[in-house]
């Protein structure tokens, strides 16, 4: 194998493929990055078996070939080389030589035959969506994935396609996050994708209108971004019937400026950290929410102006769950719907239905 | 105590005083920030006994007074408040009330009488120096402070004033760092200041020509930057006679571009990390340094163009010691002076005598 390529392009490709390499696999070959040179294209693959990332770039390939190189040291070397052309050549004894200007590295490589094959996927694209939009939908739901491993299906995000809508749903028993967007498809899909895969996908997706094509098989999802493809296995099992969890009615409707509410809760939560309970109390009256919290260090009172339809109520929350949702909401104004101080709270954007968050209150003694 | 002040100014003052609060003291009062309000000035003090930082700011003081408030929570609250006027008032039961727009915090405070007094220092200023210059001198030497505690005096930086020069010197048994600047004084000083104090002082010093006035007493140093003063105790004991360590002669003189050498060593050290030895070998010939290093993963060869006066030599170093020095050197070109592969190496700027670094080589079998 002999090829010459541009340093910064190679560094970028390594950064992408490396996102799949978690170091958690017991197979040492998976600490390596697979590199294939052929027809003036080099293909880099990183994998941890659950998720694989393949990315392609142009290069001057003088002799085809393939190797696997330890991803960490390879990435560090390429990053530190001067911004110039790099030549990579296999030499005797399982060694590749990396040369750039007056730098020469001889590195041991592993056998490319030992690298696991990617799942074969027939790319009959099922839907496509702008990359920036999908990135936002992932960020808008992934925080609500369950952290404990008692129900593995909740460590994933549901991708639900129906009625020309893509819904992403995550929930952990205390809160539920939904993002929805119109997509141009008549397919129906119900698949759960591991949260950690999607967090890596979100890092690769660009904040742009460039399209990502998505294909499902019974066991896998494939994200095709052109030069880069991400393949992840799906989580097995059935997701929770989340629609049944959403309240059909409400008794209070609050209109409030998102940032004002978020700032007030953030300050109140400074006093709520003691004992990790994060407990903040809302006294909702007339035209205000009075937020209070206290700890050994002292107490806090925040007053937020609102527009209220309904009766006064006192209700308490874990401030972290409210803040997680508010931080990813983009609209200036939001709606909060409540029924009682022991039933779920719904938070939505005032002007669109793209985001919906459900948060359970904390029961407190009167 | 009642005063009103600007949020961002208060936040800045807290950030300064907080730098002295390490949380390592066993006295819980030293986790607090001392606040005194008087004559439309508020004074904030943070201290860990070894070092104290006092900073002053304008405020609207309606009632004088003094309190000590837990620095961490006070800093977090002020940071999160809106950018507006803040009022702080003592109320009953050892409590202060912080109000800003519609936010109200009630915080327990400690008794200001329990806060240790600052050392009394008669400010007969001994020399003054631009802040940016002193900051650079500290950064240019503090990396060479000894990390182990076997010789406490080496955990400090020597401030030596003689012949109208200020010399800062640090050494750890493997390398020695010297920074020198002309100052306008006829005094003679020989004092050792704890490295951790100086790292905090460097964070407070501005990158500017604003002056810092420095006063020494037998046990303390005081840095006066106008609104802010830092007082540190000195380390007890005699510093090593560092001048005796500097070689009087050399047999090789190398002229080299600093950044080219630094980049080459940085790349070579990627292969030298194995086993933490950081060993890089220099083969100095004719017009080049050939840097090599190897580990289980492979090997590296870097070639650096130089201008050499003297004979060829092979010499080895811990790459970290070279890089620490090169990273803080500002000149484009540097001089390296060598005598043998077992005697110290000297690195200086080509065009000035402000910086001098001594590094011991590593003995290797031929």
């Amino acid at each position: 194998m002999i090829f010459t390529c541009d340093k910064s392009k190679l560094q970028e490709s390594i950064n992408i493929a490396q996102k799949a390499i978690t170091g958690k696999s017991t197979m040492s070959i998976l600490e390596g990055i697979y590199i294939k040179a052929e027809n003036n294209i080099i293909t880099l693959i990183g994998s941890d078996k659950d998720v694989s990332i393949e990315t392609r770039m142009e290069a001057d390939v003088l002799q085809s070939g393939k190797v696997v190189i330890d991803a960490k040291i390879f990435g560090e070397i390429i990053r530190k080389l001067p911004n110039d052309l790099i030549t990579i050549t296999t030499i005797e004894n399982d060694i590749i030589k990396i040369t750039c200007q007056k730098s020469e590295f001889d590195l041991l490589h592993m056998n490319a035959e030992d690298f696991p094959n990617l799942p074969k996927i027939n790319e009959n694209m099922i839907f496509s969506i702008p990359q920036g939009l999908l990135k936002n939908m992932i960020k808008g739901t992934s925080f609500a994935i369950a952290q404990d491993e008692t129900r593995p299906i909740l460590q994933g995000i549901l991708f639900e396609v129906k009625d020309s809508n893509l819904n992403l749903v995550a929930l952990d028993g205390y809160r539920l996050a939904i993002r929805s967007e119109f997509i141009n498809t008549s397919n129906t899909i119900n698949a759960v994708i591991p949260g950690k895969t999607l967090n890596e996908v979100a890092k690769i997706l660009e904040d742009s209108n460039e399209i990502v094509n998505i294909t499902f098989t019974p066991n896998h999802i494939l994200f095709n971004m052109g030069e880069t493809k991400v393949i992840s296995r799906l989580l097995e099992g059935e997701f929770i019937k989340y629609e049944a969890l959403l309240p059909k009615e409400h008794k209070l409707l609050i209109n409030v400026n998102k940032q004002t509410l978020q700032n007030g809760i953030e300050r109140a939560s400074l006093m709520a950290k003691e004992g990790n309970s994060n407990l903040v109390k809302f006294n909702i009256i007339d035209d205000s929410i009075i937020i209070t919290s206290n700890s050994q260090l002292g107490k806090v009172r925040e007053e937020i102006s609102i527009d209220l339809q309904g009766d006064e109520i006192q209700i308490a929350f874990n401030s972290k769950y409210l803040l997680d949702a508010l931080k990813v909401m983009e609209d200036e104004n939001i709606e909060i719907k409540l029924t009682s101080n022991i039933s779920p709270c719904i938070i939505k954007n005032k002007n669109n239905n793209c985001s919906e968050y459900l948060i359970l209150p904390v029961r407190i003694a009167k």
Side-chain angles (χ1 to χ4, degrees), chain A:
Chain A
M1 183 182 81
I2 307 173
F3 68 85
T4 297
C5 66
D6 175 62
K7 172 234 149 105
S8 60
K9 189 76 194 74
L10 180 59
Q11 182 178 334
E12 197 184 308
S13 298
I14 293 170
N15 286 347
I16 291 172
Q18 232 172 1
K19 293 204 188 343
I21 303 174
T22 56
K24 284 178 193 157
S25 166
T26 50
M27 290 170 69
S28 67
I29 190 106
L30 294 183
E31 290 167 25
I33 202 158
Y34 172 98
I35 301 177
K36 186 175 75 174
E38 205 174 49
N39 301 332
N40 283 343
I41 292 285
I42 59 173
T43 305
L44 290 85
I45 303 176
S47 176
D48 80 341
K49 286 200 105 169
D50 287 346
V51 56
S52 300
I53 301 175
E54 176 189 296
T55 189
R56 293 149 53 91
M57 60 174 274
E58 286 178 12
D60 220 351
V61 177
L62 295 178
Q63 192 186 96
S64 330
K66 48 194 177 183
V67 296
V68 175
I69 314 176
D70 182 272
K72 189 159 165 281
I73 187 81
F74 186 54
E76 284 177 351
I77 290 170
I78 302 304
R79 198 172 312 126
K80 290 278 188 188
L81 285 174
N83 226 332
D84 203 342
L85 288 177
I86 293 178
T87 299
I88 297 185
T89 314
T90 46
I91 56 175
E92 25 60 269
N93 296 332
D94 297 334
I95 287 169
I96 58 158
K97 185 178 282 292
I98 305 169
T99 48
C100 180
Q101 292 179 0
K102 291 187 185 174
S103 299
E104 270 184 37
F105 283 85
D106 287 5
L107 263 194
L108 274 175
H109 70 76
M110 295 175 268
N111 191 343
E113 305 301 334
D114 297 339
F115 200 83
N117 291 323
L118 294 191
K120 290 268 176 294
I121 292 182
N122 179 10
E123 290 197 43
N124 51 348
M125 187 268 288
I126 288 177
F127 67 89
S128 64
I129 184 169
Q131 295 194 23
L133 199 55
L134 181 60
K135 184 172 190 159
N136 250 333
M137 293 177 79
I138 294 171
K139 287 190 177 173
T141 46
S142 66
F143 66 84
I145 291 169
Q147 296 305 310
D148 67 88
E149 298 176 5
T150 50
R151 298 194 63 184
I153 195 80
L154 296 186
Q155 296 188 289
I157 296 180
L158 172 69
F159 271 53
E160 179 188 55
V161 177
K162 64 176 184 187
D163 309 332
S164 292
N165 257 300
L166 168 65
N167 304 317
L168 266 59
V169 185
L171 69 96
D172 72 356
Y174 304 100
R175 64 301 200 24
L176 163 65
I178 309 174
R179 286 277 173 135
S180 306
E181 292 290 340
F182 170 80
I183 51 170
N184 192 6
T185 179
S186 57
N187 285 302
T188 302
I189 296 286
N190 206 292
V192 184
I193 297 139
K196 64 179 171 125
T197 300
L198 289 173
N199 285 330
E200 296 307 324
V201 170
K203 288 180 198 160
I204 298 172
L205 291 167
E206 289 176 16
D207 288 308
S208 75
N209 284 323
E210 296 281 314
I211 288 298
V212 46
N213 291 320
I214 297 178
T215 301
F216 287 90
T217 73
N219 297 312
H220 290 95
I221 182 169
L222 181 147
F223 299 86
N224 187 336
M225 291 152 252
E227 300 304 330
T228 300
K229 294 179 187 181
V230 181
I231 299 171
S232 169
R233 73 176 175 84
L234 303 179
L235 290 179
E236 284 174 34
E238 189 102 5
F239 203 73
I240 283 169
K241 301 263 173 273
Y242 73 93
E243 281 174 311
L245 304 174
L246 299 171
K248 303 282 171 291
E249 301 174 330
H250 59 268
K251 292 189 175 162
L252 283 88
L253 176 65
I254 297 164
N255 267 295
V256 60
N257 176 280
K258 193 208 82 147
Q259 198 59 52
T260 308
L261 179 63
Q262 184 180 330
N263 292 347
I265 298 173
E266 280 182 349
R267 283 191 293 269
S269 70
L270 292 176
M271 284 292 160
K273 280 181 188 167
E274 207 81 351
N276 260 333
S277 72
N278 294 316
L279 187 77
V280 291
K281 294 181 194 172
F282 280 27
N283 192 9
I284 299 166
I285 49 166
D286 205 13
D287 56 0
S288 303
I289 303 179
I290 312 296
I291 309 175
T292 55
S293 184
N294 50 58
S295 73
Q296 290 172 336
L297 294 167
K299 60 181 185 177
V300 54
R301 180 185 189 280
E302 293 280 339
E303 191 174 328
I304 315 287
S305 299
I306 59 169
D307 175 50
L308 170 67
Q309 294 170 31
D311 294 333
E312 299 186 353
I313 194 173
Q314 286 188 309
I315 186 168
F317 292 100
N318 179 328
S319 61
K320 182 181 182 310
Y321 296 156
L322 293 171
L323 290 173
D324 281 349
L326 293 173
K327 280 177 191 166
V328 295
M329 296 184 78
E330 288 120 353
D331 268 27
E332 197 182 329
N333 293 303
I334 56 170
E335 283 183 355
I336 302 176
K337 295 175 183 174
L338 296 170
T339 299
S340 76
N341 58 12
I342 53 168
S343 50
C345 155
I346 296 287
I347 305 179
K348 297 177 74 165
N349 288 324
K350 180 155 173 55
N351 293 319
N352 69 59
N353 285 315
C354 292
S355 306
E356 183 163 1
Y357 297 99
L358 174 153
I359 295 164
L360 290 183
V362 179
R363 286 184 195 225
I364 42 164
K366 279 264 172 175

